[in-house]
Amino acid sequence: MDRAQKAAAVAELNRTFSEVGVVVVTRNNGMTVAQSTRLRNAMRDAGATYKVSKNKLAKIALDGTDYGSVGDMLTGPVGLATSVDPVAAAKVAVEFAKTNDKFEIVGGAMGATPLDLAGVQALATLPSLDELRAKIVGLIVAPATKLATITQAPAAQIARVLSAYAEKEAA
């Protein structure tokens, strides 16, 4: 890798660190290509990315971002799982770690807040951003639906009473 390639890699990592909501640092000790491909596909499906980079370049890219605390975790063969949604990368990493013994979660950060293994696992149990949005919309719509039902009920009852009187008079 020449200087220009290294500078481009650092710039890309720095841009990634400034845009994401969470960084999960993982250690992949001897994963096969098939396992790595499965992990990358699962990350992509969840809206996250998984990259392996040189630790020195990643430490340089961390400068000027909120993820400076991750620098101490960058030792050995590590990979970086990132996502804009603060839960997506953590969820996929924790699920993949359950099924693969060569994949280990070291820690991570959510903005300026450093996370250890327990913190990443706790983050993975939270609902995703889309799930939270759906719950909020449901909570907002529910009272309006109930209000519409309540206001329509008396009108429907009056209509039934008038219909019964009309049928009674016709008979």
Side-chain angles (χ1 to χ4, degrees), residues 159-171:
R160 281 193 289 271
V161 169
L162 292 176
S163 175
Y165 277 126
E167 287 176 11
K168 186 177 178 183
E169 288 181 8

Side-chain angles (χ1 to χ4, degrees), residues 108-130:
M110 188 171 68
T113 307
L115 301 170
D116 59 353
L117 173 61
V120 173
Q121 290 174 335
L123 187 62
T125 61
L126 296 175
S128 71
L129 196 56
D130 289 336

